Amino acid sequence: MWALPLLLVKEDLGVTVTAIGFLVLLAARHTQPRLAPWAAVVMAAGTLGAIVIVTLVIPAFNATGHYDYTSKIETGATIPAATAVHTLLWILLPTTGLLALRSPILLAALPTTAWRFLSGDDHYWGTDWHYSAILMPIVFTALTDSLTTARRSPRAWLSSYARHLPAAAAAAALALSIGLPVARLTQTAT
């Protein structure tokens, strides 16, 4: 239910809400079956919310009467493989040391990542704009989930990696922020 307010943030997050509901449904069906109907409600609300927002709400406020970004999705878009790998590595490597890949929670980031790569607009493909910011709460939650299990791993290298990774990720974030617009906050003029 905590995912439902995402419908009020950005129009494409309804699909993310649906993905979160689906992940909860998969996890709950065996361990907490009483949550399964609620997960289904969240899935339906996410799907319906996305449809209503894109087909009714946004067109009602647009002077042209339609959703302008539909044309940005191209089923035949060909993102260069190197660009896709670059973007995915920037999303996962400095923030999670790739450990988030061990968590099913990361699957909730797939809808947003998919529409970016389906677009013919190359601004969506890279990391120069804000499009990865919406993924970061999901990525960090996946990291937290992965850290919990990896720290208890019988493999010593994985357990050690999980213990040291949070400090390394924090250091990477600080080091990389120097080249980002947030660094201007350290300037008196800003």
Side-chain angles (χ1 to χ4, degrees):
M1 300 304 269
W2 284 100
L4 289 176
L6 289 174
L7 291 169
L8 303 173
V9 176
K10 197 167 176 286
E11 71 273 14
D12 65 321
L13 290 182
V15 183
T16 300
V17 170
T18 302
I20 291 169
F22 180 70
L23 292 172
V24 171
L25 181 67
L26 287 178
R29 68 175 189 223
H30 296 298
T31 58
Q32 296 178 318
R34 63 180 177 78
L35 292 180
W38 291 108
V41 166
V42 170
M43 288 174 60
T47 303
L48 183 62
I51 292 168
V52 167
I53 290 166
V54 170
T55 62
L56 298 174
V57 176
I58 291 177
F61 288 98
N62 191 337
T64 63
H66 69 282
Y67 180 64
D68 288 337
Y69 293 98
T70 305
S71 63
K72 299 261 185 183
I73 297 176
E74 298 175 11
T75 54
T78 54
I79 177 173
T83 303
V85 169
H86 176 265
T87 299
L88 293 173
L89 283 175
W90 268 109
I91 291 170
L92 295 171
L93 188 58
T95 56
T96 74
L98 300 179
L99 195 63
L101 290 168
R102 294 177 49 92
S103 173
I105 293 171
L106 191 60
L107 295 172
L110 281 180
T112 298
T113 305
W115 77 252
R116 287 174 64 183
F117 291 159
L118 285 175
S119 173
D121 187 340
D122 61 356
H123 290 101
Y124 296 150
W125 298 347
T127 56
D128 296 337
W129 297 87
H130 63 284
Y131 300 108
S132 294
I134 202 73
L135 298 172
M136 288 302 104
I138 296 168
V139 170
F140 289 127
T141 303
L143 172 62
T144 303
D145 180 52
S146 296
L147 284 170
T148 303
T149 57
R151 285 181 176 166
R152 293 185 297 230
S153 173
R155 291 176 280 194
W157 70 268
L158 183 57
S159 178
S160 176
Y161 184 67
R163 281 194 310 277
H164 294 95
L165 185 61
L174 287 172
L176 293 171
S177 67
I178 293 168
L180 298 173
V182 72
R184 284 182 259 178
L185 292 175
T186 62
Q187 299 171 357
T188 307
T190 302

